[in-house]
Amino acid sequence: MFERIEALHPHYDPELRLLTLTLDHGKANEVGTVTLDAFEALCELLEHGEVACLCTTSRRTSKSGTPIFVSGADVTERVGWPDERVKAHVRRQRSILQRLRHVPLFTVALSHGVTLGWGLEFLLTADYCLTTPTGRFALPETGLGIIPGARGTAELALAVGPAHALRLGCTGEEIGADEALRIGLCHEIVPDIDAGLARVRTFAELLRRRSPTAVAVFKRGLLGATGQAEAERLCIEAAAYERCIDTGQAAIGRASFSAIRAGEVPPWGPRRS
């Protein structure tokens, strides 16, 4: 089931339907073609599989002991590439991260240490971001004659507002965990990776009790309504609600109400988003 994503070091808990990726590749978890191949395969697995919660983290450290989440894209592999190949490569990055943002399940990024460029852009694909106190975040791209090209320019302002997005993107200033929390780039600070993974297991346990279809429909409706006018947002909500009825999930919930109150998990069946 997970052979095509072995480069992402997956671990799956079938009871919680929790898939945890522990990144450990390259010199500093830089993302190049091989890692992109694995992330593309991950999208296919998540879009059509049974996973209910995804957590991505890293225990990687540098030779000096600095913790690393993702240090950025592997720009060294592009040496000698013609311009059109570089453009196509970055278009592929952008497409894969867009797919990750919209997978029909709850996703968590647990950052530990250096989170630069592509790593920060990856955070923007997650539904919820945790960081340890060692988290360090920056967008160095303008210092390399480029811009963040895999969501960082298009999506960062939605998370932190235009002023902070301009500050980070234009100046390349590095910020720590406290500042990332303050501006909304991350949503919780956890003491260490193990505490973060425990927090994710809490999420997964809650998700296990909920309709996979309803979770997927809620996420699709919320993301689809973001930025739309009120009338359009309400239309999207109405369609999402009625999808829960049409797939039979609402009827299962009604029939199982007493069991749900007793702490039992209803027979929701496979996800139908």
mmCIF file of all heavy atoms in Angstrom, residues 206-256:
data_model
loop_
_atom_site.group_PDB
_atom_site.id
_atom_site.type_symbol
_atom_site.label_atom_id
_atom_site.label_comp_id
_atom_site.label_asym_id
_atom_site.label_seq_id
_atom_site.Cartn_x
_atom_site.Cartn_y
_atom_site.Cartn_z
ATOM 1 N N LEU A 206 -10.349 11.598 17.623
ATOM 2 C CA LEU A 206 -11.595 12.327 17.382
ATOM 3 C C LEU A 206 -12.119 12.056 15.974
ATOM 4 O O LEU A 206 -13.325 11.843 15.767
ATOM 5 C CB LEU A 206 -11.368 13.825 17.584
ATOM 6 C CG LEU A 206 -11.087 14.280 19.022
ATOM 7 C CD1 LEU A 206 -10.642 15.734 19.037
ATOM 8 C CD2 LEU A 206 -12.328 14.095 19.892
ATOM 9 N N LEU A 207 -11.225 12.054 15.000
ATOM 10 C CA LEU A 207 -11.629 11.817 13.613
ATOM 11 C C LEU A 207 -12.171 10.409 13.413
ATOM 12 O O LEU A 207 -13.081 10.188 12.599
ATOM 13 C CB LEU A 207 -10.430 12.047 12.686
ATOM 14 C CG LEU A 207 -10.011 13.513 12.510
ATOM 15 C CD1 LEU A 207 -8.591 13.593 11.988
ATOM 16 C CD2 LEU A 207 -10.960 14.235 11.572
ATOM 17 N N ARG A 208 -11.633 9.439 14.152
ATOM 18 C CA ARG A 208 -12.071 8.049 14.018
ATOM 19 C C ARG A 208 -13.557 7.898 14.302
ATOM 20 O O ARG A 208 -14.212 6.991 13.775
ATOM 21 C CB ARG A 208 -11.258 7.169 14.974
ATOM 22 C CG ARG A 208 -11.497 5.677 14.835
ATOM 23 C CD ARG A 208 -10.594 4.901 15.779
ATOM 24 N NE ARG A 208 -11.019 5.070 17.169
ATOM 25 C CZ ARG A 208 -11.940 4.319 17.768
ATOM 26 N NH1 ARG A 208 -12.576 3.365 17.094
ATOM 27 N NH2 ARG A 208 -12.250 4.520 19.039
ATOM 28 N N ARG A 209 -14.096 8.785 15.119
ATOM 29 C CA ARG A 209 -15.500 8.697 15.521
ATOM 30 C C ARG A 209 -16.436 9.460 14.575
ATOM 31 O O ARG A 209 -17.654 9.419 14.750
ATOM 32 C CB ARG A 209 -15.651 9.232 16.951
ATOM 33 C CG ARG A 209 -14.853 8.436 17.959
ATOM 34 C CD ARG A 209 -14.922 9.017 19.360
ATOM 35 N NE ARG A 209 -14.173 8.181 20.273
ATOM 36 C CZ ARG A 209 -14.649 7.076 20.851
ATOM 37 N NH1 ARG A 209 -15.901 6.706 20.595
ATOM 38 N NH2 ARG A 209 -13.915 6.351 21.647
ATOM 39 N N ARG A 210 -15.857 10.138 13.620
ATOM 40 C CA ARG A 210 -16.660 10.984 12.749
ATOM 41 C C ARG A 210 -16.787 10.404 11.349
ATOM 42 O O ARG A 210 -15.952 9.616 10.917
ATOM 43 C CB ARG A 210 -16.062 12.389 12.705
ATOM 44 C CG ARG A 210 -16.436 13.190 13.926
ATOM 45 C CD ARG A 210 -15.464 14.256 14.336
ATOM 46 N NE ARG A 210 -16.008 14.991 15.473
ATOM 47 C CZ ARG A 210 -16.031 14.532 16.743
ATOM 48 N NH1 ARG A 210 -15.529 13.348 17.025
ATOM 49 N NH2 ARG A 210 -16.545 15.251 17.720
ATOM 50 N N SER A 211 -17.821 10.816 10.667
ATOM 51 C CA SER A 211 -18.057 10.342 9.311
ATOM 52 C C SER A 211 -16.936 10.807 8.387
ATOM 53 O O SER A 211 -16.731 12.020 8.219
ATOM 54 C CB SER A 211 -19.393 10.879 8.798
ATOM 55 O OG SER A 211 -19.453 10.832 7.391
ATOM 56 N N PRO A 212 -16.186 9.884 7.769
ATOM 57 C CA PRO A 212 -15.152 10.303 6.820
ATOM 58 C C PRO A 212 -15.724 11.130 5.675
ATOM 59 O O PRO A 212 -15.084 12.064 5.186
ATOM 60 C CB PRO A 212 -14.565 8.983 6.322
ATOM 61 C CG PRO A 212 -14.910 7.985 7.363
ATOM 62 C CD PRO A 212 -16.230 8.428 7.927
ATOM 63 N N THR A 213 -16.943 10.785 5.255
ATOM 64 C CA THR A 213 -17.586 11.540 4.185
ATOM 65 C C THR A 213 -17.899 12.956 4.636
ATOM 66 O O THR A 213 -17.634 13.928 3.913
ATOM 67 C CB THR A 213 -18.876 10.836 3.736
ATOM 68 O OG1 THR A 213 -18.540 9.565 3.165
ATOM 69 C CG2 THR A 213 -19.636 11.665 2.715
ATOM 70 N N ALA A 214 -18.474 13.111 5.838
ATOM 71 C CA ALA A 214 -18.812 14.447 6.337
ATOM 72 C C ALA A 214 -17.565 15.297 6.527
ATOM 73 O O ALA A 214 -17.565 16.496 6.219
ATOM 74 C CB ALA A 214 -19.596 14.338 7.642
ATOM 75 N N VAL A 215 -16.477 14.696 7.034
ATOM 76 C CA VAL A 215 -15.231 15.441 7.201
ATOM 77 C C VAL A 215 -14.726 15.934 5.848
ATOM 78 O O VAL A 215 -14.342 17.102 5.687
ATOM 79 C CB VAL A 215 -14.161 14.565 7.891
ATOM 80 C CG1 VAL A 215 -12.785 15.219 7.819
ATOM 81 C CG2 VAL A 215 -14.541 14.307 9.349
ATOM 82 N N ALA A 216 -14.730 15.045 4.854
ATOM 83 C CA ALA A 216 -14.252 15.421 3.525
ATOM 84 C C ALA A 216 -15.127 16.498 2.901
ATOM 85 O O ALA A 216 -14.631 17.454 2.289
ATOM 86 C CB ALA A 216 -14.203 14.192 2.619
ATOM 87 N N VAL A 217 -16.444 16.369 3.066
ATOM 88 C CA VAL A 217 -17.367 17.345 2.489
ATOM 89 C C VAL A 217 -17.223 18.700 3.189
ATOM 90 O O VAL A 217 -17.255 19.757 2.547
ATOM 91 C CB VAL A 217 -18.813 16.826 2.580
ATOM 92 C CG1 VAL A 217 -19.810 17.912 2.235
ATOM 93 C CG2 VAL A 217 -18.998 15.639 1.642
ATOM 94 N N PHE A 218 -17.056 18.681 4.516
ATOM 95 C CA PHE A 218 -16.851 19.933 5.246
ATOM 96 C C PHE A 218 -15.590 20.647 4.773
ATOM 97 O O PHE A 218 -15.609 21.860 4.512
ATOM 98 C CB PHE A 218 -16.766 19.666 6.745
ATOM 99 C CG PHE A 218 -16.452 20.897 7.559
ATOM 100 C CD1 PHE A 218 -17.427 21.845 7.817
ATOM 101 C CD2 PHE A 218 -15.172 21.128 8.044
ATOM 102 C CE1 PHE A 218 -17.133 22.994 8.553
ATOM 103 C CE2 PHE A 218 -14.867 22.255 8.780
ATOM 104 C CZ PHE A 218 -15.861 23.198 9.032
ATOM 105 N N LYS A 219 -14.503 19.891 4.637
ATOM 106 C CA LYS A 219 -13.243 20.509 4.206
ATOM 107 C C LYS A 219 -13.382 21.091 2.798
ATOM 108 O O LYS A 219 -12.969 22.227 2.547
ATOM 109 C CB LYS A 219 -12.114 19.483 4.250
ATOM 110 C CG LYS A 219 -10.770 20.035 3.768
ATOM 111 C CD LYS A 219 -9.642 19.038 3.969
ATOM 112 C CE LYS A 219 -8.336 19.573 3.430
ATOM 113 N NZ LYS A 219 -7.198 18.639 3.684
ATOM 114 N N ARG A 220 -13.971 20.326 1.896
ATOM 115 C CA ARG A 220 -14.134 20.815 0.523
ATOM 116 C C ARG A 220 -15.012 22.057 0.488
ATOM 117 O O ARG A 220 -14.718 23.029 -0.215
ATOM 118 C CB ARG A 220 -14.733 19.719 -0.352
ATOM 119 C CG ARG A 220 -14.834 20.112 -1.832
ATOM 120 C CD ARG A 220 -15.366 18.972 -2.647
ATOM 121 N NE ARG A 220 -16.735 18.619 -2.264
ATOM 122 C CZ ARG A 220 -17.337 17.487 -2.633
ATOM 123 N NH1 ARG A 220 -16.702 16.593 -3.341
ATOM 124 N NH2 ARG A 220 -18.584 17.260 -2.252
ATOM 125 N N GLY A 221 -16.094 22.054 1.275
ATOM 126 C CA GLY A 221 -16.983 23.208 1.302
ATOM 127 C C GLY A 221 -16.313 24.436 1.890
ATOM 128 O O GLY A 221 -16.453 25.541 1.354
ATOM 129 N N LEU A 222 -15.579 24.244 2.986
ATOM 130 C CA LEU A 222 -14.915 25.382 3.626
ATOM 131 C C LEU A 222 -13.858 25.997 2.712
ATOM 132 O O LEU A 222 -13.810 27.220 2.529
ATOM 133 C CB LEU A 222 -14.289 24.938 4.944
ATOM 134 C CG LEU A 222 -13.690 26.050 5.817
ATOM 135 C CD1 LEU A 222 -13.868 25.728 7.291
ATOM 136 C CD2 LEU A 222 -12.211 26.267 5.515
ATOM 137 N N LEU A 223 -13.019 25.150 2.109
ATOM 138 C CA LEU A 223 -11.975 25.680 1.233
ATOM 139 C C LEU A 223 -12.583 26.302 -0.026
ATOM 140 O O LEU A 223 -12.109 27.323 -0.515
ATOM 141 C CB LEU A 223 -10.992 24.575 0.855
ATOM 142 C CG LEU A 223 -10.137 24.013 1.992
ATOM 143 C CD1 LEU A 223 -9.202 22.921 1.469
ATOM 144 C CD2 LEU A 223 -9.338 25.106 2.688
ATOM 145 N N GLY A 224 -13.647 25.692 -0.537
ATOM 146 C CA GLY A 224 -14.291 26.238 -1.726
ATOM 147 C C GLY A 224 -14.977 27.564 -1.477
ATOM 148 O O GLY A 224 -15.072 28.406 -2.378
ATOM 149 N N ALA A 225 -15.443 27.774 -0.245
ATOM 150 C CA ALA A 225 -16.156 29.014 0.073
ATOM 151 C C ALA A 225 -15.215 30.160 0.428
ATOM 152 O O ALA A 225 -15.611 31.326 0.357
ATOM 153 C CB ALA A 225 -17.115 28.771 1.240
ATOM 154 N N THR A 226 -13.981 29.848 0.787
ATOM 155 C CA THR A 226 -13.038 30.885 1.195
ATOM 156 C C THR A 226 -12.822 31.901 0.078
ATOM 157 O O THR A 226 -12.503 31.548 -1.053
ATOM 158 C CB THR A 226 -11.684 30.261 1.595
ATOM 159 O OG1 THR A 226 -11.894 29.345 2.675
ATOM 160 C CG2 THR A 226 -10.692 31.330 2.030
ATOM 161 N N GLY A 227 -13.023 33.170 0.406
ATOM 162 C CA GLY A 227 -12.815 34.241 -0.558
ATOM 163 C C GLY A 227 -14.009 34.544 -1.434
ATOM 164 O O GLY A 227 -13.964 35.507 -2.223
ATOM 165 N N GLN A 228 -15.079 33.751 -1.325
ATOM 166 C CA GLN A 228 -16.261 33.981 -2.145
ATOM 167 C C GLN A 228 -17.202 34.987 -1.469
ATOM 168 O O GLN A 228 -17.119 35.237 -0.270
ATOM 169 C CB GLN A 228 -17.015 32.664 -2.354
ATOM 170 C CG GLN A 228 -16.198 31.569 -3.010
ATOM 171 C CD GLN A 228 -15.865 31.871 -4.456
ATOM 172 O OE1 GLN A 228 -16.570 32.636 -5.123
ATOM 173 N NE2 GLN A 228 -14.779 31.300 -4.948
ATOM 174 N N ALA A 229 -18.087 35.565 -2.244
ATOM 175 C CA ALA A 229 -19.111 36.439 -1.691
ATOM 176 C C ALA A 229 -20.067 35.622 -0.825
ATOM 177 O O ALA A 229 -20.179 34.404 -0.971
ATOM 178 C CB ALA A 229 -19.891 37.114 -2.820
ATOM 179 N N GLU A 230 -20.778 36.314 0.084
ATOM 180 C CA GLU A 230 -21.632 35.598 1.041
ATOM 181 C C GLU A 230 -22.628 34.676 0.356
ATOM 182 O O GLU A 230 -22.812 33.520 0.771
ATOM 183 C CB GLU A 230 -22.377 36.596 1.933
ATOM 184 C CG GLU A 230 -23.281 35.900 2.951
ATOM 185 C CD GLU A 230 -24.122 36.873 3.750
ATOM 186 O OE1 GLU A 230 -24.363 37.997 3.264
ATOM 187 O OE2 GLU A 230 -24.554 36.514 4.852
ATOM 188 N N ALA A 231 -23.292 35.148 -0.670
ATOM 189 C CA ALA A 231 -24.304 34.330 -1.342
ATOM 190 C C ALA A 231 -23.686 33.042 -1.886
ATOM 191 O O ALA A 231 -24.279 31.960 -1.780
ATOM 192 C CB ALA A 231 -24.964 35.128 -2.458
ATOM 193 N N GLU A 232 -22.505 33.141 -2.457
ATOM 194 C CA GLU A 232 -21.835 31.958 -3.003
ATOM 195 C C GLU A 232 -21.394 31.029 -1.878
ATOM 196 O O GLU A 232 -21.499 29.801 -1.994
ATOM 197 C CB GLU A 232 -20.637 32.375 -3.852
ATOM 198 C CG GLU A 232 -19.872 31.216 -4.480
ATOM 199 C CD GLU A 232 -20.709 30.395 -5.448
ATOM 200 O OE1 GLU A 232 -21.742 30.898 -5.941
ATOM 201 O OE2 GLU A 232 -20.335 29.243 -5.701
ATOM 202 N N ARG A 233 -20.893 31.601 -0.765
ATOM 203 C CA ARG A 233 -20.495 30.768 0.373
ATOM 204 C C ARG A 233 -21.675 29.942 0.871
ATOM 205 O O ARG A 233 -21.537 28.757 1.185
ATOM 206 C CB ARG A 233 -19.949 31.627 1.519
ATOM 207 C CG ARG A 233 -18.660 32.372 1.212
ATOM 208 C CD ARG A 233 -17.955 32.829 2.478
ATOM 209 N NE ARG A 233 -18.792 33.639 3.361
ATOM 210 C CZ ARG A 233 -18.901 34.956 3.292
ATOM 211 N NH1 ARG A 233 -18.255 35.625 2.338
ATOM 212 N NH2 ARG A 233 -19.658 35.638 4.148
ATOM 213 N N LEU A 234 -22.851 30.572 0.961
ATOM 214 C CA LEU A 234 -24.033 29.864 1.457
ATOM 215 C C LEU A 234 -24.513 28.800 0.472
ATOM 216 O O LEU A 234 -25.003 27.740 0.881
ATOM 217 C CB LEU A 234 -25.146 30.857 1.771
ATOM 218 C CG LEU A 234 -24.846 31.814 2.936
ATOM 219 C CD1 LEU A 234 -25.982 32.799 3.123
ATOM 220 C CD2 LEU A 234 -24.594 31.038 4.226
ATOM 221 N N CYS A 235 -24.357 29.055 -0.792
ATOM 222 C CA CYS A 235 -24.702 28.040 -1.797
ATOM 223 C C CYS A 235 -23.785 26.822 -1.677
ATOM 224 O O CYS A 235 -24.240 25.671 -1.767
ATOM 225 C CB CYS A 235 -24.605 28.625 -3.206
ATOM 226 S SG CYS A 235 -25.982 29.712 -3.659
ATOM 227 N N ILE A 236 -22.513 27.088 -1.464
ATOM 228 C CA ILE A 236 -21.553 25.996 -1.303
ATOM 229 C C ILE A 236 -21.875 25.201 -0.041
ATOM 230 O O ILE A 236 -21.843 23.965 -0.035
ATOM 231 C CB ILE A 236 -20.112 26.551 -1.262
ATOM 232 C CG1 ILE A 236 -19.729 27.098 -2.643
ATOM 233 C CG2 ILE A 236 -19.122 25.482 -0.810
ATOM 234 C CD1 ILE A 236 -18.427 27.866 -2.666
ATOM 235 N N GLU A 237 -22.217 25.898 1.039
ATOM 236 C CA GLU A 237 -22.594 25.221 2.278
ATOM 237 C C GLU A 237 -23.829 24.352 2.068
ATOM 238 O O GLU A 237 -23.884 23.197 2.537
ATOM 239 C CB GLU A 237 -22.853 26.242 3.381
ATOM 240 C CG GLU A 237 -23.293 25.618 4.702
ATOM 241 C CD GLU A 237 -23.607 26.659 5.748
ATOM 242 O OE1 GLU A 237 -22.655 27.161 6.377
ATOM 243 O OE2 GLU A 237 -24.799 26.980 5.914
ATOM 244 N N ALA A 238 -24.833 24.894 1.385
ATOM 245 C CA ALA A 238 -26.063 24.138 1.148
ATOM 246 C C ALA A 238 -25.784 22.863 0.363
ATOM 247 O O ALA A 238 -26.296 21.777 0.690
ATOM 248 C CB ALA A 238 -27.079 25.013 0.409
ATOM 249 N N ALA A 239 -24.960 22.974 -0.672
ATOM 250 C CA ALA A 239 -24.632 21.800 -1.485
ATOM 251 C C ALA A 239 -23.869 20.766 -0.661
ATOM 252 O O ALA A 239 -24.099 19.554 -0.796
ATOM 253 C CB ALA A 239 -23.804 22.228 -2.701
ATOM 254 N N ALA A 240 -22.973 21.244 0.213
ATOM 255 C CA ALA A 240 -22.200 20.331 1.052
ATOM 256 C C ALA A 240 -23.105 19.611 2.046
ATOM 257 O O ALA A 240 -22.993 18.396 2.252
ATOM 258 C CB ALA A 240 -21.100 21.105 1.785
ATOM 259 N N TYR A 241 -24.017 20.356 2.675
ATOM 260 C CA TYR A 241 -24.945 19.742 3.637
ATOM 261 C C TYR A 241 -25.796 18.673 2.957
ATOM 262 O O TYR A 241 -25.973 17.560 3.475
ATOM 263 C CB TYR A 241 -25.844 20.810 4.262
ATOM 264 C CG TYR A 241 -26.660 20.288 5.418
ATOM 265 C CD1 TYR A 241 -26.205 20.413 6.722
ATOM 266 C CD2 TYR A 241 -27.880 19.644 5.202
ATOM 267 C CE1 TYR A 241 -26.944 19.903 7.785
ATOM 268 C CE2 TYR A 241 -28.616 19.137 6.257
ATOM 269 C CZ TYR A 241 -28.154 19.277 7.544
ATOM 270 O OH TYR A 241 -28.874 18.773 8.593
ATOM 271 N N GLU A 242 -26.299 19.015 1.789
ATOM 272 C CA GLU A 242 -27.170 18.081 1.094
ATOM 273 C C GLU A 242 -26.403 16.855 0.585
ATOM 274 O O GLU A 242 -26.986 15.769 0.439
ATOM 275 C CB GLU A 242 -27.897 18.806 -0.036
ATOM 276 C CG GLU A 242 -28.915 19.803 0.513
ATOM 277 C CD GLU A 242 -29.493 20.744 -0.516
ATOM 278 O OE1 GLU A 242 -29.359 20.447 -1.728
ATOM 279 O OE2 GLU A 242 -30.075 21.772 -0.111
ATOM 280 N N ARG A 243 -25.104 17.016 0.365
ATOM 281 C CA ARG A 243 -24.284 15.864 -0.004
ATOM 282 C C ARG A 243 -24.251 14.853 1.137
ATOM 283 O O ARG A 243 -24.283 13.645 0.905
ATOM 284 C CB ARG A 243 -22.868 16.329 -0.356
ATOM 285 C CG ARG A 243 -21.888 15.206 -0.683
ATOM 286 C CD ARG A 243 -22.277 14.439 -1.917
ATOM 287 N NE ARG A 243 -21.285 13.443 -2.270
ATOM 288 C CZ ARG A 243 -21.499 12.434 -3.097
ATOM 289 N NH1 ARG A 243 -22.667 12.310 -3.691
ATOM 290 N NH2 ARG A 243 -20.553 11.561 -3.367
ATOM 291 N N CYS A 244 -24.202 15.346 2.373
ATOM 292 C CA CYS A 244 -24.218 14.441 3.531
ATOM 293 C C CYS A 244 -25.530 13.664 3.602
ATOM 294 O O CYS A 244 -25.556 12.484 3.974
ATOM 295 C CB CYS A 244 -24.004 15.224 4.822
ATOM 296 S SG CYS A 244 -22.367 15.952 4.982
ATOM 297 N N ILE A 245 -26.620 14.313 3.226
ATOM 298 C CA ILE A 245 -27.912 13.629 3.199
ATOM 299 C C ILE A 245 -27.954 12.615 2.055
ATOM 300 O O ILE A 245 -28.343 11.460 2.235
ATOM 301 C CB ILE A 245 -29.052 14.648 3.057
ATOM 302 C CG1 ILE A 245 -29.125 15.545 4.302
ATOM 303 C CG2 ILE A 245 -30.388 13.937 2.835
ATOM 304 C CD1 ILE A 245 -30.134 16.664 4.212
ATOM 305 N N ASP A 246 -27.503 13.036 0.870
ATOM 306 C CA ASP A 246 -27.578 12.182 -0.314
ATOM 307 C C ASP A 246 -26.714 10.933 -0.185
ATOM 308 O O ASP A 246 -27.037 9.891 -0.784
ATOM 309 C CB ASP A 246 -27.167 12.963 -1.558
ATOM 310 C CG ASP A 246 -28.147 14.090 -1.895
ATOM 311 O OD1 ASP A 246 -29.297 14.037 -1.410
ATOM 312 O OD2 ASP A 246 -27.752 15.017 -2.626
ATOM 313 N N THR A 247 -25.606 11.009 0.559
ATOM 314 C CA THR A 247 -24.729 9.844 0.734
ATOM 315 C C THR A 247 -25.182 8.940 1.872
ATOM 316 O O THR A 247 -24.545 7.914 2.135
ATOM 317 C CB THR A 247 -23.285 10.302 1.005
ATOM 318 O OG1 THR A 247 -23.259 11.174 2.145
ATOM 319 C CG2 THR A 247 -22.693 11.005 -0.208
ATOM 320 N N GLY A 248 -26.242 9.319 2.565
ATOM 321 C CA GLY A 248 -26.759 8.492 3.639
ATOM 322 C C GLY A 248 -26.103 8.701 4.989
ATOM 323 O O GLY A 248 -26.489 8.060 5.970
ATOM 324 N N GLN A 249 -25.132 9.610 5.059
ATOM 325 C CA GLN A 249 -24.424 9.811 6.322
ATOM 326 C C GLN A 249 -25.317 10.420 7.399
ATOM 327 O O GLN A 249 -25.235 10.062 8.579
ATOM 328 C CB GLN A 249 -23.200 10.694 6.096
ATOM 329 C CG GLN A 249 -22.183 10.115 5.142
ATOM 330 C CD GLN A 249 -21.545 8.849 5.667
ATOM 331 O OE1 GLN A 249 -20.720 8.874 6.564
ATOM 332 N NE2 GLN A 249 -21.955 7.705 5.106
ATOM 333 N N ALA A 250 -26.189 11.341 7.003
ATOM 334 C CA ALA A 250 -27.089 11.956 7.981
ATOM 335 C C ALA A 250 -28.030 10.917 8.577
ATOM 336 O O ALA A 250 -28.307 10.932 9.788
ATOM 337 C CB ALA A 250 -27.879 13.091 7.326
ATOM 338 N N ALA A 251 -28.517 9.998 7.751
ATOM 339 C CA ALA A 251 -29.409 8.953 8.241
ATOM 340 C C ALA A 251 -28.691 8.019 9.206
ATOM 341 O O ALA A 251 -29.255 7.600 10.228
ATOM 342 C CB ALA A 251 -29.981 8.161 7.066
ATOM 343 N N ILE A 252 -27.429 7.693 8.902
ATOM 344 C CA ILE A 252 -26.640 6.849 9.810
ATOM 345 C C ILE A 252 -26.455 7.552 11.146
ATOM 346 O O ILE A 252 -26.591 6.947 12.213
ATOM 347 C CB ILE A 252 -25.279 6.499 9.177
ATOM 348 C CG1 ILE A 252 -25.476 5.604 7.954
ATOM 349 C CG2 ILE A 252 -24.370 5.812 10.194
ATOM 350 C CD1 ILE A 252 -24.215 5.364 7.150
ATOM 351 N N GLY A 253 -26.149 8.845 11.079
ATOM 352 C CA GLY A 253 -25.974 9.608 12.308
ATOM 353 C C GLY A 253 -27.232 9.638 13.160
ATOM 354 O O GLY A 253 -27.181 9.474 14.386
ATOM 355 N N ARG A 254 -28.388 9.825 12.524
ATOM 356 C CA ARG A 254 -29.658 9.855 13.264
ATOM 357 C C ARG A 254 -29.950 8.491 13.897
ATOM 358 O O ARG A 254 -30.331 8.397 15.062
ATOM 359 C CB ARG A 254 -30.807 10.260 12.349
ATOM 360 C CG ARG A 254 -30.783 11.716 11.914
ATOM 361 C CD ARG A 254 -32.119 12.121 11.300
ATOM 362 N NE ARG A 254 -32.474 11.301 10.145
ATOM 363 C CZ ARG A 254 -32.127 11.560 8.894
ATOM 364 N NH1 ARG A 254 -31.393 12.636 8.622
ATOM 365 N NH2 ARG A 254 -32.515 10.771 7.897
ATOM 366 N N ALA A 255 -29.756 7.438 13.113
ATOM 367 C CA ALA A 255 -30.048 6.097 13.604
ATOM 368 C C ALA A 255 -29.095 5.663 14.717
ATOM 369 O O ALA A 255 -29.441 4.815 15.547
ATOM 370 C CB ALA A 255 -29.991 5.097 12.451
ATOM 371 N N SER A 256 -27.902 6.246 14.742
ATOM 372 C CA SER A 256 -26.865 5.843 15.702
ATOM 373 C C SER A 256 -26.724 6.824 16.848
ATOM 374 O O SER A 256 -25.743 6.756 17.595
ATOM 375 C CB SER A 256 -25.522 5.706 14.971
ATOM 376 O OG SER A 256 -25.606 4.837 13.879
#
